[in-house]
């Protein structure tokens, strides 16, 4: 029915006609206001765009990581750092958090249950020392924890968030992948959330089962703009965590929970940092290069000891920073030994070891004397009863060492 016909019909009913006229006038006014508002908005956008385009552009061309990112910075001189204390991993983490909060008044620590020390006691006594305004609990929302960290850091603060278990970092992926990692890049380096550090315990622990045993580093390493770090022990953890917190890039700090109480080392009491993006050769050798990170280094040390009894000299490298990773260190080692083994707890398929293999095959093809070996977890979830069968233990790694050495005979 046409509008004129509808008006004719409604006019017979008096009040209805008045109602329709009012509605028609209101609709016309709304359309007019909408057009005026849209035109004003367009003019504002043009004006703001012109101002933005006139601004000086940042000198950095990549805008992916901060200009203060220096993987070439020196390793700490441990003997010169003075007195040490015997710490396990969780007390070393606690010491690093305490130092960071003492030296940075903007640093805050938050997460599920952190105010009373956290599930693994990494934040114990910190609320008492720094107050509930700087150390506090959050709701059970990993996405919220990550989002809050981004917001606080984007305003210039230092945000240290805790995801209670690495298995539950996945609900926060939208904030981590789509916001945190891209914050600097999408603004052309004009703003950032580099003050974010998210800590989370990962890996098998002997009794974790399906939902408390995963190793998510490869998921995270697929995200340009993040820094992904995993320490192998207490001394390493303190220095790497302080570097992560003070870095101007967002860091995901993965803590192997099996080491919280198992690993014990003499840790300097002093404030020190370990450079991010730089691997460490922790055992020199000439026959085969072995690469790992986190808790897997204990297994690889044991496998290297067994290999040494058979006259095989292993060069053992801790990657430490998974993204961006120190490919040059591995390349130079493989050019010397001609053989490479990568071992990690996460599943084999698309694990970060695959990236190491691809890069080394490309860069060291004519130096390789044997096929590169991966000794990793199986491509399956694992329950408690199957954990020992799942893990890439020292025997599996020793078998891989023997396999690559057969090509030297």
């Amino acid at each position: 029915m046409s509008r004129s016909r509808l008006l004719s019909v409604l006019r017979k009913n008096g009040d209805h006609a008045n109602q329709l006229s009012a509605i028609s006038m209101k609709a016309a006014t709304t359309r007019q206001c909408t057009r005026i508002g849209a035109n004003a908005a367009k003019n504002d956008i043009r004006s703001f765009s012109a101002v933005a385009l006139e601004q000086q552009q940042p000198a950095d061309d990549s805008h992916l990581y901060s200009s203060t990112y220096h993987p070439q910075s020196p390793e700490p001189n441990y003997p010169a750092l003075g007195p040490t204390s015997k710490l396990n991993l969780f007390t070393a983490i606690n010491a690093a958090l305490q130092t960071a909060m003492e030296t940075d008044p903007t640093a805050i620590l938050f997460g599920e249950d952190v105010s009373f020390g956290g599930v693994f006691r990494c934040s114990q006594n910190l609320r008492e020392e720094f107050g509930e305004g700087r150390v506090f609990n959050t709701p059970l929302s990993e996405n919220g924890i990550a989002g809050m960290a981004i917001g606080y850091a984007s305003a210039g603060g230092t945000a240290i968030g805790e995801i209670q278990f690495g298995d539950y970092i996945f609900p926060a992926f939208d904030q981590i992948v789509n916001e945190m990692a891209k914050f600097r890049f999408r603004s052309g380096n004009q703003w950032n959330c580099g003050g974010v550090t998210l800590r989370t315990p990962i890996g098998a622990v002997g009794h974790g089962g399906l939902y408390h045993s995963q190793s998510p580093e490869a998921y995270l390493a697929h995200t340009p703009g993040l820094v992904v770090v995993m320490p192998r022990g207490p001394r390493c953890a303190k220095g790497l965590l302080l570097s992560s917190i003070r870095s101007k890039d967002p860091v995901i700090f993965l803590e192997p929970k099996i080491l919280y109480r198992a690993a014990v080392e003499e840790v300097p009491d002093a404030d020190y940092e370990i450079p991010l993006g730089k691997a460490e050769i922790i055992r020199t050798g000439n026959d085969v290069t072995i690469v790992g990170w986190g808790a897997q280094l204990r297994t690889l040390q044991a496998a290297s000891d067994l290999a040494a009894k058979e006259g095989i000299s292993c060069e053992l490298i801790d990657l430490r920073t998974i993204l961006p990773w120190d490919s040059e260190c591995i390349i130079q080692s493989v050019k010397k030994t001609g053989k490479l083994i990568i071992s990690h707890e996460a599943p084999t398929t698309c694990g970060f070891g695959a990236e190491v293999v691809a890069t080394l095959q490309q860069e060291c093809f004519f130096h390789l004397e044997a096929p590169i070996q991966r000794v990793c977890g199986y491509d399956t979830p694992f329950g408690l009863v199957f954990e020992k069968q799942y893990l890439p233990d020292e025997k599996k790694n020793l078998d891989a060492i023997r396999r690559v050495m057969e090509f030297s005979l």
Side-chain angles (χ1 to χ4, degrees):
M1 181 182 293
S2 67
R3 183 175 180 273
S4 59
R5 173 61 178 156
L6 180 61
L7 281 170
S8 175
V9 171
L10 290 176
R11 283 193 187 102
K12 296 177 181 178
N13 297 313
D15 291 341
H16 293 287
N18 293 334
Q19 291 174 15
L20 181 62
S21 297
I23 292 170
S24 298
M25 290 177 64
K26 184 176 180 180
T29 303
T30 301
R31 287 194 296 271
Q32 184 180 9
C33 291
T34 301
R35 284 195 295 271
I36 293 171
N39 290 333
K42 288 177 182 178
N43 291 332
D44 285 345
I45 291 170
R46 291 191 188 100
S47 176
F48 294 148
S49 298
V51 172
L53 290 170
E54 290 173 0
Q55 301 302 309
Q56 183 178 359
Q57 295 300 304
D60 184 9
D61 291 331
S62 72
H63 314 320
L64 193 57
Y65 293 99
S66 70
S67 58
T68 59
Y69 181 79
H70 294 299
Q72 292 79 25
S73 57
E75 294 285 335
N77 181 5
Y78 291 110
L81 290 175
T84 63
S85 298
K86 186 172 287 187
L87 302 179
N88 57 23
L89 187 69
F90 92 83
T91 51
I93 296 292
N94 182 266
L97 293 171
Q98 182 181 33
T99 299
M101 299 190 75
E102 285 175 345
T103 56
D104 182 354
T106 74
I108 60 172
L109 174 64
F110 54 93
E112 297 159 13
D113 303 323
V114 301
S115 67
F116 70 80
V119 172
F120 296 102
R121 315 307 298 160
C122 292
S123 57
Q124 65 179 354
N125 302 323
L126 295 181
R127 183 187 64 175
E128 290 77 7
E129 181 172 354
F130 297 104
E132 61 184 14
R134 295 182 66 192
V135 182
F136 52 88
N137 292 335
T138 65
L140 199 68
S141 171
E142 289 77 15
N143 202 39
I145 293 169
M148 178 180 172
I150 294 167
Y152 185 76
S154 68
T158 299
I160 310 167
E162 178 181 302
I163 306 295
Q164 195 168 83
F165 285 91
D167 309 66
Y168 301 122
I169 202 169
F170 302 114
F173 258 40
D174 177 49
Q175 290 293 319
I176 293 171
V177 174
N178 287 326
E179 303 298 337
M180 187 187 300
K182 298 175 175 64
F183 211 93
R184 184 189 302 278
F185 183 85
R186 68 186 176 91
S187 73
N189 203 24
Q190 295 185 72
W191 60 76
N192 69 82
C193 61
V196 172
T197 301
L198 289 183
R199 300 175 36 252
T200 189
I202 57 94
V205 69
H207 50 75
L210 298 179
Y211 295 103
H212 296 83
S213 302
Q214 297 175 78
S215 299
E217 67 267 22
Y219 294 100
L220 296 160
H222 197 63
T223 309
L226 296 179
V227 177
V228 183
V229 179
M230 191 188 302
R232 70 175 182 273
R235 188 170 70 172
C236 182
K238 181 180 178 180
L240 286 173
L241 183 54
L242 283 169
S243 292
S244 298
I245 293 170
R246 292 164 178 168
S247 167
K248 299 305 180 185
D249 296 295
V251 178
I252 311 296
F253 194 85
L254 305 175
E255 300 166 8
K257 57 178 156 320
I258 197 170
L259 301 183
Y260 274 140
R261 288 169 173 77
V264 179
E265 291 176 339
E266 291 292 336
V267 178
D269 299 331
D271 183 341
Y272 66 96
E273 298 177 19
I274 293 175
L276 304 178
K278 194 171 183 180
E280 181 184 6
I281 300 173
I282 60 177
R283 180 179 188 140
T284 58
N286 299 308
D287 293 328
V288 56
T289 299
I290 306 177
V291 178
W293 46 87
Q296 193 62 12
L297 267 298
R298 292 200 311 167
T299 297
L300 297 178
Q301 285 272 32
S304 298
D305 289 340
L306 294 172
K309 294 178 181 179
E310 300 179 14
I312 303 171
S313 173
C314 299
E315 181 144 294
L316 185 56
I317 300 177
D318 178 8
L319 211 52
R320 299 196 298 195
T321 302
I322 297 167
L323 184 72
W325 66 288
D326 188 358
S327 59
E328 189 58 30
C329 176
I330 317 301
I331 289 168
Q332 294 304 316
S333 177
V334 172
K335 285 182 177 179
K336 176 178 68 173
T337 65
K339 293 173 282 293
L340 174 63
I341 296 170
I342 302 104
S343 184
H344 57 68
E345 191 177 302
T348 302
T349 299
C350 295
F352 192 71
E355 175 63 25
V356 179
V357 171
T359 300
L360 270 294
Q361 186 273 340
Q362 178 177 314
E363 299 295 330
C364 298
F365 182 79
F366 293 106
H367 295 271
L368 290 170
E369 300 172 4
I372 300 174
Q373 302 290 304
R374 282 186 292 167
V375 186
C376 309
Y378 297 119
D379 291 338
T380 178
F382 59 97
L384 172 61
V385 69
F386 295 116
E387 185 170 302
K388 289 184 178 179
Q389 288 76 19
Y390 172 89
L391 293 175
D393 59 17
E394 57 265 30
K395 183 180 183 303
K396 294 175 185 176
N397 279 279
L398 179 60
D399 288 342
I401 294 170
R402 289 167 175 164
R403 279 197 300 274
V404 297
M405 290 305 298
E406 290 176 357
F407 289 86
S408 299
L409 300 177

